[in-house]
Amino acid sequence: MKDRPGGRSSQIREAVKAAVHEELIATGYAELSYRNIARRAGVDASTLYRRWPTRPRLVADLLLGLSDEFVTIPDTGTLEGDLTDLLQQIVQGLADVRTRKVALSLAIAASDGDEEVTEVMRTFWHHRFAAASVVLDRAYDRGEIADSPPCDLIIENLTTAAWFRAIFSQRPIDKTFVEKRVAATLKLLT
């Protein structure tokens, strides 16, 4: 079945994504149930199985959609501005307890050896790094950096401490924290 913008197929997809999100928050990945998702979305379970034959596919669809909604790739005109804006968006997303619950439940499932979840996480991060590489490409084109380094290394350096603080240490993330992370990342590029 081909998705049509605004059509029934699109409405079903959005309802299912919302239901998956709510179920992940309520129960975590381990208890994610097609029956409960179908009930929340107002669709038949057979629709879910036909379009999303595995739980990881359900979750992957949700994650890719959420990442595009909550973190847009900035274009401020400078690398420092782009990195600052990017990190601020991530910090804002991590401030939402619901986002943290989804991320943590998926990390737990991946660490328990669920290879399908691990693959979903790899796909998610590959998608995010590919999107963020535009920031470095533009900086290179403007002459702000001498060469375009591996994007995943740069973005990991920029964002890892924010993820750690939000999920594990529960320490505050303020403007000074963002400025220091951006400055440390810029040092890698010069």
Side-chain angles (χ1 to χ4, degrees):
M1 177 184 298
K2 208 172 186 183
D3 283 350
R4 292 181 313 248
R8 173 96 173 114
S9 184
S10 177
Q11 292 169 351
I12 289 171
R13 184 171 182 263
E14 291 307 310
V16 168
K17 279 175 42 180
V20 170
H21 195 188
E22 292 300 320
E23 277 297 301
L24 279 172
I25 291 164
T27 67
Y29 182 80
E31 302 299 319
L32 197 62
S33 155
Y34 273 80
R35 184 180 318 133
N36 290 343
I37 292 167
R39 182 184 45 76
R40 281 184 190 265
V43 300
D44 192 84
S46 65
T47 299
L48 295 179
Y49 285 110
R50 185 172 53 255
R51 296 180 74 180
W52 297 277
T54 66
R55 289 186 316 163
R57 284 196 188 169
L58 276 166
V59 172
D61 201 22
L62 168 70
L63 283 179
L64 294 176
L66 286 177
S67 71
D68 290 339
E69 287 175 31
F70 293 119
V71 179
T72 59
I73 302 305
D75 189 3
T76 65
T78 68
L79 179 58
E80 182 176 8
D82 288 350
L83 293 176
T84 300
D85 190 313
L86 185 63
L87 185 54
Q88 286 172 333
Q89 288 182 66
I90 291 167
V91 165
Q92 184 177 3
L94 290 171
D96 180 358
V97 69
R98 295 162 45 101
T99 301
R100 289 194 311 271
K101 276 184 156 184
V102 170
L104 192 54
S105 70
L106 293 172
I108 290 167
S111 70
D112 280 346
D114 189 322
E115 189 54 42
E116 285 187 286
V117 174
T118 301
E119 189 54 37
V120 165
M121 298 301 282
R122 283 186 194 123
T123 300
F124 170 80
W125 287 111
H126 175 75
H127 176 78
R128 293 311 308 159
F129 292 146
S133 70
V134 171
V135 168
L136 297 178
D137 292 342
R138 284 193 304 247
Y140 175 76
D141 292 343
R142 288 189 300 259
E144 290 181 272
I145 56 177
D147 59 47
S148 192
C151 180
D152 47 347
L153 173 68
I154 299 306
I155 300 304
E156 283 175 0
N157 184 274
L158 177 69
T159 63
T160 303
W163 281 88
F164 184 85
R165 279 190 179 207
I167 294 175
F168 299 109
S169 73
Q170 303 288 308
R171 291 170 50 210
I173 303 173
D174 58 12
K175 182 180 177 182
T176 302
F177 170 85
V178 170
E179 289 170 353
K180 286 181 178 180
R181 290 306 325 138
V182 169
T185 302
L186 288 170
K187 281 185 181 180
L188 289 175
L189 295 164
T190 56

